Amino acid sequence: MGTLSRREEAFIRPSPAGGTLGGVARKSRETMLMCEAAGYDVILIETVGVGQSETTVRSMVDFFMLVVLTGAGDDLQGIKKGVMELADAIVINKADGDNLLRAKVARGEYERMIEFIRPATEGWQTHAYLASAVEKTGLDDLWQVIQIFKRVTTESGVFQKRRDGQLLDWMHAMIDEHLHNLFFGDAVITGRMPEIREAVLSGVISPTQAVAELVKMFDVKRAAERQVDLFTAC
Protein backbone atom coordinates (compact mmCIF):
# COMPACT_ATOMS: atom_id res chain seq x y z
CA MET A 1 0.00 0.00 0.00
CA GLY A 2 2.88 2.34 0.77
CA THR A 3 4.39 1.71 -2.67
CA LEU A 4 1.07 2.21 -4.41
CA SER A 5 0.40 5.49 -2.63
CA ARG A 6 3.51 6.99 -4.25
CA ARG A 7 2.27 6.29 -7.78
CA GLU A 8 0.84 9.26 -9.67
CA GLU A 9 -1.87 7.06 -11.20
CA ALA A 10 -3.32 6.15 -7.80
CA PHE A 11 -4.97 8.06 -4.97
CA ILE A 12 -5.54 6.41 -1.59
CA ARG A 13 -7.85 7.93 0.99
CA PRO A 14 -8.45 6.23 4.37
CA SER A 15 -11.97 6.85 5.64
CA PRO A 16 -12.72 5.59 9.17
CA ALA A 17 -16.11 3.90 9.34
CA GLY A 18 -16.67 4.93 12.94
CA GLY A 19 -20.10 3.81 14.08
CA THR A 20 -21.46 3.47 10.56
CA LEU A 21 -22.81 0.02 9.73
CA GLY A 22 -21.85 -1.76 6.56
CA GLY A 23 -18.07 -1.52 6.80
CA VAL A 24 -17.84 1.78 4.92
CA ALA A 25 -17.67 5.43 5.91
CA ARG A 26 -20.71 7.67 6.08
CA LYS A 27 -19.74 9.66 2.98
CA SER A 28 -18.23 6.86 0.88
CA ARG A 29 -20.67 7.46 -1.98
CA GLU A 30 -19.76 11.15 -2.16
CA THR A 31 -16.07 10.25 -2.12
CA MET A 32 -16.56 7.82 -5.01
CA LEU A 33 -18.40 10.48 -7.02
CA MET A 34 -15.57 12.94 -6.42
CA CYS A 35 -12.97 10.39 -7.58
CA GLU A 36 -14.97 9.70 -10.74
CA ALA A 37 -15.17 13.44 -11.42
CA ALA A 38 -11.39 13.63 -10.96
CA GLY A 39 -10.93 11.12 -13.78
CA TYR A 40 -10.20 7.89 -11.92
CA ASP A 41 -11.68 5.01 -13.92
CA VAL A 42 -11.20 2.27 -11.31
CA ILE A 43 -12.26 2.82 -7.70
CA LEU A 44 -11.62 0.17 -5.04
CA ILE A 45 -13.62 0.28 -1.82
CA GLU A 46 -12.06 -1.76 0.98
CA THR A 47 -14.40 -2.40 3.88
CA VAL A 48 -13.36 -2.93 7.48
CA GLY A 49 -14.32 -6.58 7.19
CA VAL A 50 -17.42 -6.53 9.37
CA GLY A 51 -18.73 -9.71 7.79
CA GLN A 52 -22.46 -10.14 8.06
CA SER A 53 -23.38 -6.43 7.78
CA GLU A 54 -21.54 -5.57 4.60
CA THR A 55 -24.78 -5.18 2.66
CA THR A 56 -24.24 -1.42 2.48
CA VAL A 57 -21.16 -1.65 0.27
CA ARG A 58 -22.96 -4.11 -2.03
CA SER A 59 -25.41 -1.33 -2.89
CA MET A 60 -22.67 1.07 -3.98
CA VAL A 61 -20.29 -1.05 -6.07
CA ASP A 62 -20.50 -2.78 -9.45
CA PHE A 63 -18.38 -5.79 -8.52
CA PHE A 64 -18.19 -7.26 -5.01
CA MET A 65 -15.03 -9.24 -4.24
CA LEU A 66 -14.80 -11.22 -1.01
CA VAL A 67 -11.18 -11.76 0.10
CA VAL A 68 -10.60 -14.60 2.55
CA LEU A 69 -7.59 -16.31 4.11
CA THR A 70 -6.77 -19.86 5.09
CA GLY A 71 -5.71 -20.80 8.58
CA ALA A 72 -6.93 -17.53 10.10
CA GLY A 73 -10.51 -18.34 10.99
CA ASP A 74 -11.92 -17.17 7.66
CA ASP A 75 -12.71 -20.76 6.68
CA LEU A 76 -15.46 -20.65 9.29
CA GLN A 77 -16.87 -17.55 7.65
CA GLY A 78 -17.81 -19.67 4.68
CA ILE A 79 -20.30 -21.49 6.86
CA LYS A 80 -22.12 -18.18 7.33
CA LYS A 81 -23.45 -17.70 3.85
CA GLY A 82 -24.68 -14.13 4.40
CA VAL A 83 -21.68 -12.27 3.03
CA MET A 84 -20.98 -14.98 0.43
CA GLU A 85 -24.38 -14.31 -1.13
CA LEU A 86 -23.14 -10.79 -1.94
CA ALA A 87 -19.91 -11.82 -3.65
CA ASP A 88 -19.30 -11.84 -7.41
CA ALA A 89 -15.92 -13.46 -6.76
CA ILE A 90 -14.27 -15.10 -3.76
CA VAL A 91 -10.50 -14.70 -3.56
CA ILE A 92 -8.30 -16.84 -1.32
CA ASN A 93 -5.32 -14.59 -0.67
CA LYS A 94 -1.84 -15.63 0.52
CA ALA A 95 -1.92 -18.65 -1.76
CA ASP A 96 1.85 -19.06 -1.64
CA GLY A 97 4.62 -21.00 0.08
CA ASP A 98 3.53 -23.50 2.70
CA ASN A 99 0.03 -22.07 2.56
CA LEU A 100 -0.53 -22.89 -1.12
CA LEU A 101 -1.88 -26.39 -0.51
CA ARG A 102 -4.30 -25.17 2.16
CA ALA A 103 -5.44 -22.39 -0.18
CA LYS A 104 -6.21 -24.92 -2.91
CA VAL A 105 -8.21 -27.01 -0.46
CA ALA A 106 -10.11 -23.89 0.68
CA ARG A 107 -10.86 -23.02 -2.93
CA GLY A 108 -12.48 -26.39 -3.47
CA GLU A 109 -14.55 -25.98 -0.31
CA TYR A 110 -15.79 -22.54 -1.38
CA GLU A 111 -16.66 -23.81 -4.84
CA ARG A 112 -18.81 -26.50 -3.29
CA MET A 113 -20.52 -23.96 -1.02
CA ILE A 114 -21.25 -21.65 -3.94
CA GLU A 115 -23.32 -24.36 -5.60
CA PHE A 116 -25.93 -23.95 -2.84
CA ILE A 117 -26.05 -20.15 -2.93
CA ARG A 118 -28.08 -17.99 -5.28
CA PRO A 119 -25.78 -15.92 -7.55
CA ALA A 120 -25.24 -12.36 -6.35
CA THR A 121 -25.62 -11.00 -9.88
CA GLU A 122 -28.17 -12.12 -12.43
CA GLY A 123 -26.55 -14.04 -15.29
CA TRP A 124 -23.19 -14.38 -13.50
CA GLN A 125 -21.78 -17.41 -11.70
CA THR A 126 -19.55 -16.67 -8.72
CA HIS A 127 -16.32 -18.67 -8.44
CA ALA A 128 -13.38 -18.90 -6.03
CA TYR A 129 -9.87 -17.88 -7.12
CA LEU A 130 -6.35 -18.06 -5.72
CA ALA A 131 -4.08 -15.05 -5.38
CA SER A 132 -0.88 -13.97 -3.68
CA ALA A 133 -0.26 -10.30 -3.02
CA VAL A 134 3.36 -11.08 -2.13
CA GLU A 135 4.20 -13.14 -5.22
CA LYS A 136 1.76 -11.13 -7.38
CA THR A 137 0.15 -14.27 -8.75
CA GLY A 138 -3.48 -14.49 -9.75
CA LEU A 139 -3.89 -10.72 -9.99
CA ASP A 140 -4.00 -10.61 -13.79
CA ASP A 141 -6.56 -13.41 -13.77
CA LEU A 142 -8.73 -11.49 -11.31
CA TRP A 143 -8.62 -8.39 -13.48
CA GLN A 144 -9.70 -10.46 -16.46
CA VAL A 145 -12.61 -11.82 -14.43
CA ILE A 146 -13.70 -8.28 -13.61
CA GLN A 147 -13.46 -7.25 -17.26
CA ILE A 148 -15.52 -10.26 -18.36
CA PHE A 149 -18.05 -9.48 -15.63
CA LYS A 150 -18.47 -5.91 -16.89
CA ARG A 151 -18.85 -7.06 -20.51
CA VAL A 152 -21.40 -9.77 -19.68
CA THR A 153 -23.50 -7.58 -17.39
CA THR A 154 -23.36 -4.62 -19.77
CA GLU A 155 -24.62 -6.72 -22.65
CA SER A 156 -27.45 -8.14 -20.53
CA GLY A 157 -28.43 -4.75 -19.11
CA VAL A 158 -27.74 -5.85 -15.54
CA PHE A 159 -24.84 -3.40 -15.20
CA GLN A 160 -26.99 -0.34 -15.93
CA LYS A 161 -29.78 -1.74 -13.78
CA ARG A 162 -27.35 -2.01 -10.87
CA ARG A 163 -26.09 1.53 -11.45
CA ASP A 164 -29.69 2.79 -11.39
CA GLY A 165 -30.25 0.89 -8.16
CA GLN A 166 -27.17 2.50 -6.63
CA LEU A 167 -28.58 5.97 -7.30
CA LEU A 168 -31.93 5.09 -5.75
CA ASP A 169 -30.28 3.45 -2.73
CA TRP A 170 -28.18 6.59 -2.28
CA MET A 171 -31.30 8.77 -2.42
CA HIS A 172 -33.15 6.58 0.08
CA ALA A 173 -30.16 6.55 2.43
CA MET A 174 -29.98 10.34 2.36
CA ILE A 175 -33.71 10.60 3.07
CA ASP A 176 -33.35 8.21 6.02
CA GLU A 177 -30.40 10.18 7.37
CA HIS A 178 -32.21 13.51 6.97
CA LEU A 179 -35.37 12.27 8.73
CA HIS A 180 -33.31 10.66 11.48
CA ASN A 181 -31.43 13.90 12.15
CA LEU A 182 -34.63 15.94 11.93
CA PHE A 183 -36.40 13.71 14.45
CA PHE A 184 -33.64 13.29 17.02
CA GLY A 185 -32.54 16.90 16.64
CA ASP A 186 -36.00 18.23 17.48
CA ALA A 187 -36.11 20.13 20.78
CA VAL A 188 -39.41 18.59 21.85
CA ILE A 189 -38.16 15.06 21.19
CA THR A 190 -34.85 15.56 22.96
CA GLY A 191 -36.70 17.09 25.89
CA ARG A 192 -39.10 14.18 26.30
CA MET A 193 -36.70 11.39 25.36
CA PRO A 194 -35.22 10.80 28.87
CA GLU A 195 -38.73 10.48 30.35
CA ILE A 196 -39.88 8.13 27.58
CA ARG A 197 -36.76 5.97 27.87
CA GLU A 198 -37.25 5.63 31.62
CA ALA A 199 -40.89 4.67 31.11
CA VAL A 200 -39.87 1.94 28.64
CA LEU A 201 -37.15 0.56 30.91
CA SER A 202 -39.47 0.52 33.92
CA GLY A 203 -42.19 -1.27 31.96
CA VAL A 204 -44.73 1.54 32.23
CA ILE A 205 -45.12 1.62 28.45
CA SER A 206 -44.00 -0.68 25.66
CA PRO A 207 -41.46 0.32 22.99
CA THR A 208 -44.33 0.38 20.48
CA GLN A 209 -46.28 2.84 22.63
CA ALA A 210 -43.15 4.94 23.13
CA VAL A 211 -42.57 5.23 19.39
CA ALA A 212 -46.22 6.11 18.76
CA GLU A 213 -46.13 8.85 21.40
CA LEU A 214 -42.85 10.34 20.18
CA VAL A 215 -43.96 10.32 16.54
CA LYS A 216 -47.27 11.92 17.50
CA MET A 217 -45.47 14.69 19.37
CA PHE A 218 -43.18 15.22 16.40
CA ASP A 219 -46.09 15.33 13.94
CA VAL A 220 -48.02 17.81 16.09
CA LYS A 221 -45.06 20.15 16.30
CA ARG A 222 -44.33 19.95 12.59
CA ALA A 223 -47.99 20.63 11.81
CA ALA A 224 -47.92 23.68 14.08
CA GLU A 225 -44.77 24.95 12.39
CA ARG A 226 -46.40 24.55 8.98
CA GLN A 227 -49.39 26.57 10.16
CA VAL A 228 -47.07 29.34 11.35
CA ASP A 229 -45.20 29.31 8.03
CA LEU A 230 -48.51 29.48 6.14
CA PHE A 231 -49.74 32.38 8.28
CA THR A 232 -46.45 34.23 7.80
CA ALA A 233 -46.61 33.71 4.03
CA CYS A 234 -50.14 35.11 3.90
Side-chain angles (χ1 to χ4, degrees), residues 36-113:
E36 287 182 340
Y40 289 95
D41 56 350
V42 177
I43 300 174
L44 305 180
I45 308 297
E46 181 185 11
T47 73
V48 296
V50 293
Q52 297 303 302
S53 33
E54 287 183 317
T55 54
T56 302
V57 72
R58 169 75 276 186
S59 68
M60 65 175 66
V61 298
D62 304 317
F63 187 88
F64 188 105
M65 180 183 296
L66 175 63
V67 181
V68 297
L69 303 174
T70 59
D74 286 287
D75 293 341
L76 297 177
Q77 179 65 28
I79 300 175
K80 302 176 181 180
K81 68 174 185 177
V83 70
M84 290 182 62
E85 290 180 331
L86 308 176
D88 295 309
I90 299 174
V91 181
I92 298 95
N93 192 23
K94 297 188 178 181
D96 49 49
D98 296 337
N99 200 47
L100 181 57
L101 180 58
R102 289 193 294 268
K104 289 181 178 180
V105 172
R107 178 183 180 181
E109 293 175 348
Y110 278 109
E111 284 287 351
R112 286 191 290 274
M113 293 176 190

Side-chain angles (χ1 to χ4, degrees), residues 176-187 189 218 222:
D176 291 342
E177 181 181 352
H178 176 73
L179 293 177
H180 180 277
N181 294 336
L182 196 66
F183 183 84
F184 286 100
D186 185 87
I189 298 300
F218 183 74
R222 298 296 294 177

